[in-house]
Amino acid sequence: MLIAPSILPQAFYREDTKSVAQALLGKVLCHRKSDGRLLMGRIVETEAYLGVDDPACHTFKDKKSAKNRSMYLDGGHAYIYVIYGMHYCLNLVTRTPAHPEAVLLRAIEPIGDAALPAKRPAAKANLESNGPGKLCRYLGLTKEQDGVPVWNESSGLWVLDAPPVPTAEVAARPRIGVDYAGEAAAWPLRYYVIGNRYVSKQ
DNA sequence: AGTGAGATGGCCT
DNA sequence: GGCCATCTCACTA
């Protein structure tokens, strides 16, 4: 008999951002699309963005804008923005509005319906969610989900609890694509499951 | 294996 | 007018 998996509560996301980024590894991201299909994936790669004191973060120096509006919501909301004009990136907001921080979800391992065989060459068939832009495309996430709460199913986007990944299987490395951020570019705020094939870069 | 460029749009100064 | 928390394909070797 299976135990019903529980949805991570809002309190989970109000904790320290680095801790949340690591704790999210192994959890199961779920999206109920408007057509009813449920897409799921096990989170295997994340990055922490540490708010007003982090030059790589969109809320560096407490700069508010139309784009980063959702980062000033309470912990447990989604923050989705457009990058390079054609890709979406999904973040989960952490802490509280006084500390606008977030965790970028960079890669998931498809499970359930999402693991259906893809109409792609074999080499690429199972690599459709190994990167922040590809993850959103795969789950069907767009600006429509920007700002929605993720601690219950009503928003269509939520995260199921799952056993934590042992710390010995987690690597911490510099974040990707933030070379402009000075010394912050070297901060080891990217976390991933060592050896998992869906991690965007080893 | 590694480098480079193009696609493409919203928001920034 | 320029900049991206990206991805893909086309090159070189």
Side-chain angles (χ1 to χ4, degrees):
Chain A
M1 165 137 179
L2 292 172
I3 298 172
S6 60
I7 295 177
L8 294 177
Q10 185 177 22
F12 176 92
Y13 303 97
R14 287 209 183 100
E15 300 299 320
D16 167 77
T17 301
K18 285 188 272 189
S19 303
V20 174
Q22 294 169 77
L24 278 170
L25 294 176
K27 308 303 188 213
V28 179
L29 178 64
C30 303
H31 180 215
R32 175 76 69 185
K33 294 176 66 176
S34 50
D35 66 6
R37 202 152 93 94
L38 179 62
L39 298 169
M40 297 189 293
R42 179 172 171 260
I43 298 167
V44 297
E45 182 180 358
T46 63
E47 285 180 358
Y49 284 85
L50 304 183
V52 299
D53 296 319
D54 176 359
C57 186
H58 291 168
T59 58
F60 181 49
K61 292 181 177 171
D62 204 25
K63 191 177 62 172
K64 299 180 178 69
S65 72
K67 167 175 149 178
N68 71 15
R69 183 181 91 261
S70 296
M71 283 203 69
Y72 288 88
L73 296 173
D74 204 350
H77 289 85
Y79 166 43
I80 299 180
Y81 66 94
V82 181
I83 187 68
Y84 299 114
M86 64 181 75
H87 298 293
Y88 297 100
C89 288
L90 168 64
N91 298 252
L92 300 180
V93 178
T94 57
R95 301 195 70 186
T96 64
H99 298 274
E101 307 184 8
V103 173
L104 170 68
L105 302 187
R106 286 193 58 88
I108 58 174
E109 176 180 347
I111 57 178
D113 277 354
L116 288 172
K119 298 164 186 158
R120 288 292 192 92
K124 293 183 177 178
N126 288 317
L127 292 174
E128 298 187 338
S129 54
N130 59 333
K134 295 166 79 176
L135 181 156
C136 286
R137 187 183 64 184
Y138 196 59
L139 290 183
L141 298 174
T142 69
K143 288 289 285 183
E144 279 186 39
Q145 283 77 36
D146 182 36
V148 304
V150 301
W151 62 86
N152 60 57
E153 291 191 27
S154 64
S155 64
L157 184 64
W158 66 91
V159 184
L160 297 178
D161 198 6
V165 176
T167 54
E169 296 172 26
V170 175
R173 291 293 183 295
R175 293 170 291 184
I176 304 293
V178 295
D179 292 342
Y180 62 86
E183 73 173 27
W187 295 352
L189 297 179
R190 169 175 171 251
Y191 308 98
Y192 61 85
V193 178
I194 296 170
N196 188 284
R197 68 172 299 211
Y198 297 91
V199 171
S200 61
K201 295 176 182 177
Q202 303 279 347

